[in-house]
């Protein structure tokens, strides 16, 4: 789906490369201006004004703010590094400019060029700002997991946005990685930064984030805690800090469903760790080239529920209006600090990276209905998916992507079901089929009976927690698929709940209530 695409090529005039953020900031214009007060010469006042040559000059030097309530029980000082003070609202502004400057120096990015990148939203916004200032156009691929608000920001900044499915393998041609790479090969005079592997990503944080933390804490920082996606922020910042003081500890925070936590502790890439999760912009289903695990001292992981609730708590208790990954980082920080409390001293200074603002998440994390629907807030009803599961057999009938459509029809007929999930050999949910889309396909193309499922399947059924309320479940079941997968406690183990299952449970509950 392309949300925009009507604007033409940008001007071929590009700005001069100014090097590091510090060099650029010192190049900002300063001018002495005479202002007449009262109309007489003796009242002339000389004062200095300072401005930036363009919006890029405002990137970096974000503030540190002490956390006074959520960390009140800890003996040490805990500070939040507030990256939403960057002009596009996130830490990714730093790397957007850095990757473009590097491409200009190397000749990869030429006047009038097109920047093509896969992004969860924030890197795209940072690249878009730099593209506006430098005279380029942008095409971004993103996933259907990301909030519409993030896509709207990219569109507002003049970019074209292509939404790709989340629940596909990274090397699947439909993945947002693959689509971005393909477009960069097809579109002339284009540049694909590939933030996951671009060394300028890590270097930007070595040049800016690390020095800022060292200077802002007067060298007193003892712990640095951050989430990781591309790995550039945690790796570049840590590399600089450990060069100043090797005793500084870095703790990574990962969401459940990402591979980083287990890889750090075992050095094993386990595909069974990969499953959909709600927290946006953090964690990965790949090992990013910029992620240097050898720099990290420990890793913890946090559930979606903990991340969302901490995000809202930071707003209520600290006045910090932050995004989901900030809540995740803070929840992980408290988890690690409380578990290692005996090692903490009064003069320790802990910095937690807060990557972005809460505005893109107004319709999600800061919306009570969305939070209840996903089981992140207690709901008015006490009935949950567990009650629905208790009324039915828990076996799940599934099919393989390599099976034919004829095989699926036979399976559904044998078991008397109207929808079926598609699992690959590793047990990952990669698609779904329903009576409706099978019928539609066969009417249009009778020979499709011999086609493999992977060519005709729809998106996977939504995946929910077992403690989600029936109100939240009904919102999911209102979609075309009419079914959800329920996490069974172990990686890639699921139950399935359908619309008819919910109706049966509610009907039984109603009969029991009448009998009382």
């Amino acid at each position: 789906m392309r949300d925009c695409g009507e604007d033409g090529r940008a001007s071929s005039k590009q700005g001069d490369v100014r090097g590091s953020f510090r060099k650029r900031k010192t190049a900002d214009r300063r001018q002495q201006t005479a202002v007449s007060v009262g109309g007489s010469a003796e009242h002339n006042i000389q004062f200095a004004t300072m401005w930036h040559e363009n919006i890029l000059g405002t990137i970096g030097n974000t503030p540190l703010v002490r956390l006074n309530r959520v960390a009140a029980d800890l003996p040490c000082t805990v500070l939040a590094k507030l990256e939403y003070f960057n002009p596009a609202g996130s830490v990714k502004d730093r790397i957007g400019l850095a990757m473009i400057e590097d491409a200009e120096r190397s000749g990869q990015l030429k006047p009038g060029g097109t920047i093509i990148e896969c992004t969860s939203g924030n890197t795209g916004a940072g690249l878009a700002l730099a593209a506006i200032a430098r005279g380029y156009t942008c095409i971004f691929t993103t996933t259907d997991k990301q909030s519409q608000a993030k896509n709207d920001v990219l569109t507002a900044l003049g970019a074209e946005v292509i939404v790709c499915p989340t629940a596909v393998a990274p090397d699947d041609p439909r993945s947002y990685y693959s689509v971005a790479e393909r477009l960069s090969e097809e579109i002339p005079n284009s540049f694909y930064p590939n933030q996951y592997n671009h060394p300028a990503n890590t270097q930007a944080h070595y040049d800016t984030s690390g020095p800022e933390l060292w200077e802002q804490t007067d060298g007193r920082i003892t712990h640095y805690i951050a989430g990781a996606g591309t790995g550039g922020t945690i790796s570049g910042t840590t590399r600089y800090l450990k060069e100043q003081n090797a005793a500084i500890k870095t703790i990574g925070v990962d969401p459940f469903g990402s591979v980083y936590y287990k890889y750090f502790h075992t050095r094993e890439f386990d595909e069974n760790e990969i499953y959909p999760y709600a927290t946006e912009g953090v964690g990965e289903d790949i090992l990013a080239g910029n992620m240097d695990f050898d720099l990290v001292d420990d890793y913890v992981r946090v559930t979606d529920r903990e991340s969302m609730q901490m995000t809202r708590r930071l707003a209520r208790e600290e006045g910090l209006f932050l995004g989901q990954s900030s809540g995740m980082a803070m929840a992980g920080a408290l988890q690690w600090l409380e578990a290692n409390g005996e090692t903490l001293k009064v003069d320790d200074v802990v910095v937690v990276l807060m990557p972005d603002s809460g505005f893109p998440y107004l319709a999600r994390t800061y919306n009570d209905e969305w939070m209840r629907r996903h089981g992140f807030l207690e709901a008015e009803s006490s009935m949950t998916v567990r009650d629905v599961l208790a009324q039915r057999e828990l076996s799940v009938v599934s099919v393989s992507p390599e099976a034919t459509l004829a095989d699926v029809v036979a399976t559904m007929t044998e078991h008397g079901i109207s929808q079926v999930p598609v699992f690959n050999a590793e047990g990952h949910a990669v698609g779904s089929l329903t009576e409706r889309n099978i019928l539609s396909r066969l009417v249009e193309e009778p020979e499709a009976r011999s086609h493999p499922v992977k060519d005709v399947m729809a998106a996977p059924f939504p995946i929910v927690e077992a403690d989600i309320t029936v109100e939240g479940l009904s919102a999911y079941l209102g979609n075309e698929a009419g079914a959800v997968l329920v996490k069974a406690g172990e990686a890639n183990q699921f139950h399935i709940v359908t619309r008819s299952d919910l109706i049966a449970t509610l009907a039984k509950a109603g009969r029991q209530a009448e009998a009382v």
Side-chain angles (χ1 to χ4, degrees):
M1 182 180 83
R2 292 177 183 262
D3 298 316
C4 66
E6 60 187 9
D7 62 68
R9 295 291 178 183
S11 164
S12 63
K13 182 180 179 181
Q14 72 181 61
D16 295 330
V17 177
R18 297 182 187 274
S20 71
F21 293 114
R22 291 182 176 179
K23 291 180 181 178
R24 183 170 53 259
K25 287 183 180 297
T26 58
D28 288 330
R29 182 80 62 186
R30 293 173 176 81
Q31 178 176 311
Q32 293 291 328
T33 305
V35 176
S36 176
V37 180
S40 58
E42 63 270 21
H43 288 97
N44 283 351
I45 300 174
Q46 295 287 328
F47 68 93
T49 62
M50 189 275 277
W51 60 83
H52 299 285
E53 288 297 303
N54 56 47
I55 192 64
L56 305 182
T58 66
I59 296 173
N61 290 319
T62 54
L64 278 179
V65 173
R66 182 169 188 152
L67 298 175
N68 295 295
R69 292 183 174 86
V70 299
D73 295 333
L74 297 170
C76 54
T77 297
V78 181
L79 307 174
K81 178 68 167 168
L82 302 180
E83 289 296 294
Y84 69 77
F85 276 77
N86 283 308
S90 89
V91 66
K92 296 295 188 175
D93 289 8
R94 298 175 186 265
I95 73 168
L97 177 57
M99 292 189 296
I100 286 178
E101 287 183 332
D102 183 80
E104 289 172 338
R105 286 191 294 270
S106 67
Q108 291 177 279
L109 188 54
K110 299 177 175 61
T114 301
I115 299 165
I116 301 171
E117 179 65 306
C118 50
T119 175
S120 60
N122 287 334
T123 299
L127 284 167
L129 279 191
I132 291 168
R134 297 287 218 244
Y136 306 114
T137 54
C138 293
I139 299 174
F140 298 126
T141 61
T142 189
T143 69
D144 52 17
K145 165 184 170 178
Q146 310 308 325
S147 68
Q148 184 59 42
K150 286 186 176 181
N151 294 343
D152 291 342
V153 168
L154 299 179
T155 303
L157 293 172
E160 179 178 351
V161 181
I162 301 172
V163 180
C164 305
T166 301
V168 295
D171 57 357
D172 187 293
R174 297 167 296 167
S175 77
Y176 80 141
Y177 309 106
S178 299
V179 173
E181 187 171 7
R182 174 177 59 78
L183 290 174
S184 70
E185 294 169 353
E186 295 174 351
I187 297 175
N189 192 20
S190 63
F191 167 58
Y192 173 41
N194 187 5
Q195 58 176 313
Y196 295 90
N197 298 314
H198 201 305
N201 179 346
T202 299
Q203 191 64 38
H205 293 288
Y206 179 86
D207 290 340
T208 67
S209 303
E212 285 176 25
L213 292 182
W214 185 254
E215 293 169 8
Q216 288 173 323
T217 63
D218 196 26
R220 294 171 54 203
I221 180 172
T222 56
H223 300 75
Y224 174 61
I225 303 178
T230 67
T233 304
I234 196 169
S235 299
T237 305
T238 298
R239 180 157 59 89
Y240 179 88
L241 291 174
K242 286 182 179 285
E243 286 179 4
Q244 315 312 307
N245 178 2
I248 294 174
K249 290 186 179 299
T250 290
I251 295 90
V253 184
D254 209 28
F256 281 85
S258 168
V259 299
Y260 283 172
Y261 171 86
K262 183 168 184 179
Y263 185 83
F264 172 83
H265 288 287
T266 67
R267 288 305 191 265
E268 173 191 358
F269 182 86
D270 185 358
E271 290 190 349
N272 290 323
E273 291 289 303
I274 302 171
Y275 54 83
Y277 52 93
T279 307
E280 298 179 30
V282 68
E284 282 301 336
D285 55 0
I286 60 172
L287 296 178
N290 278 309
M291 184 64 200
D292 188 346
F293 289 94
D294 292 335
L295 291 170
V296 181
D297 297 284
D298 203 357
Y299 235 107
V300 297
R301 59 181 169 181
V302 174
T303 66
D304 283 332
R305 182 184 177 95
E306 291 170 322
S307 298
M308 303 301 170
Q309 292 187 346
M310 179 56 71
T311 302
R312 291 172 64 127
R313 187 180 168 193
L314 286 165
R316 291 194 312 270
E317 298 183 25
E318 302 287 351
L320 300 179
F321 189 52
L322 301 164
Q324 297 172 347
S325 59
S326 298
M328 186 209 71
M330 191 65 231
L334 291 182
Q335 179 189 138
W336 191 91
L337 293 169
E338 289 167 0
N340 293 271
E342 72 282 356
T343 69
L344 299 176
K345 300 186 291 294
V346 174
D347 57 353
D348 282 345
V349 176
V350 179
V351 175
V352 184
L353 180 82
M354 305 299 190
D356 66 356
S357 160
F359 284 104
Y361 310 94
L362 277 171
R364 296 192 171 191
T365 309
Y366 294 99
N367 180 284
D368 286 353
E369 181 181 350
W370 185 90
M371 290 283 285
R372 288 194 185 99
R373 187 166 71 243
H374 289 79
F376 302 146
L377 277 184
E378 297 301 327
E380 298 172 2
S381 172
S382 60
M383 289 186 66
T384 69
V385 172
R386 295 185 195 281
D387 297 300
V388 180
L389 292 172
Q391 308 301 318
R392 59 179 301 281
E393 290 192 24
L394 298 182
S395 60
V396 177
V397 177
S398 64
V399 296
S400 160
E402 282 68 43
T404 66
L405 203 54
D407 296 330
V408 176
V409 172
T411 298
M412 293 173 70
T413 302
E414 177 186 352
H415 293 277
I417 55 179
S418 56
Q419 59 278 307
V420 63
V422 182
F423 292 149
N424 64 15
E426 291 74 35
H428 299 144
V430 295
S432 67
L433 288 167
T434 66
E435 284 180 336
R436 181 182 300 179
N437 58 28
I438 291 174
L439 178 61
S440 175
R441 186 60 179 262
L442 290 177
V443 168
E444 294 176 3
E445 191 180 356
E447 61 272 21
R449 286 177 57 84
S450 62
H451 292 181
V453 166
K454 62 185 177 183
D455 292 342
V456 298
M457 65 188 184
F461 295 131
I463 297 176
V464 302
E465 302 284 350
D467 57 0
I468 188 174
T469 65
V470 292
E471 289 88 354
L473 178 62
S474 66
Y476 280 108
L477 295 179
N479 62 24
E480 182 180 349
V484 299
L485 295 175
V486 184
K487 294 177 184 177
E490 297 181 13
N492 297 325
Q493 296 294 314
F494 301 100
H495 306 306
I496 187 168
V497 171
T498 67
R499 201 179 281 131
S500 59
D501 293 328
L502 177 59
I503 292 171
T505 300
L506 293 175
K508 182 176 181 180
R511 290 193 298 271
Q512 291 173 340
E514 291 173 358
V516 173

